[in-house]
Amino acid sequence: MKFTGTDRYVSTSELSLAVNAAVTLQRPLLIKGEPGTGKTMLAEEVAESMGLRLIQWHIKSTTKAQQGLYEYDAVSRLRDSQLGDDRVHDIKNYIKKGKLWEAFESDETVVLLIDEVDKADIEFPNDLLVEIDKMEFFVYETGETIKAKQRPIVIITSNNEKELPDAFLRRCFFHFINFPTPETMQQIVDVHFPEVKKTLVNEALEAFFDLRNVPGLKKKPSTSELIDWLKLLLADDVSADALINKQGSSAIPPLHGALVKNEQDVQLLERLAFMARRERL
């Protein structure tokens, strides 16, 4: 089955091609792009469109590669041995399976999401090279080798916070999600708000892209923030006229807290709006 997007997810032809190429090659798909461009949601929609179970491993700064395989709880075993618990005789009672183990032991193909791999230590990707490449790993405590019954579709996301090792990149099929064009963004908005008046959507998109183009903006608003902003505009029944920038000034859009997420950018927009008002006087 080929991935072409879903009713809830607009996929460009390049993105669909990347997903299908990674599946054909049986290699992990490494997805990069701005935060909020739908990288995590892609894995959810790939699983949905192909009728597969999704296993999600969300990476934190403290996450270790070993946690994706398994963890051995030696402390609990020691405590149980002191209490005379019969569970202590079977070491498997103290092994917690990780997300990779869960994916490997599945009888059916699953989609495995390794989300925001660049948040972890720089050695994290290197520590998973063999397991992802060979689709197997060794459990030292039990002496068994866990092999994937069905090779999972692996999707790895990165926000480009750290450079990933070359050896890791070599094993992946790579795709960078470019920020949507106004035309693609229109399609995304139509998916989420099919009943919204076109005038409001057009003015909101124009204000949104104008905001992204403001020089010196520290954090540009993302696709997900645009969707949140439109929800608020609808909830507060904001008219399209309130978004129209008739004088071409850099006024702050209503409910801008959904789009602008730090005080430096708010101050920048306030200064631009003040300067624009002075020019009109």
Side-chain angles (χ1 to χ4, degrees), residues 24-52:
T24 300
L25 292 173
Q26 294 189 326
R27 289 192 176 275
L29 174 62
L30 175 61
I31 295 290
K32 291 186 178 182
E34 285 185 32
T37 50
K39 299 186 296 297
T40 301
M41 190 177 180
L42 171 65
E44 299 171 357
E45 297 306 313
V46 168
E48 176 74 20
S49 68
M50 295 185 177
L52 304 176

Side-chain angles (χ1 to χ4, degrees), residues 199-200 203-208 210-211 221 225-246 249-261 266 269-270 273 277:
T199 305
L200 176 62
E203 295 302 335
L205 286 175
E206 183 176 344
F208 173 78
D210 284 347
L211 182 58
E225 289 161 337
L226 169 63
I227 300 303
D228 288 344
W229 186 48
L230 282 169
K231 286 180 182 177
L232 289 175
L233 294 179
L234 292 173
D236 283 21
D237 197 23
V238 176
S239 67
D241 291 339
L243 302 177
I244 295 175
N245 199 346
K246 296 179 180 178
S249 62
S250 300
I252 302 178
L255 300 168
H256 64 272
L259 300 173
V260 186
K261 298 301 177 71
V266 173
L269 294 176
E270 288 174 344
R277 286 195 298 270

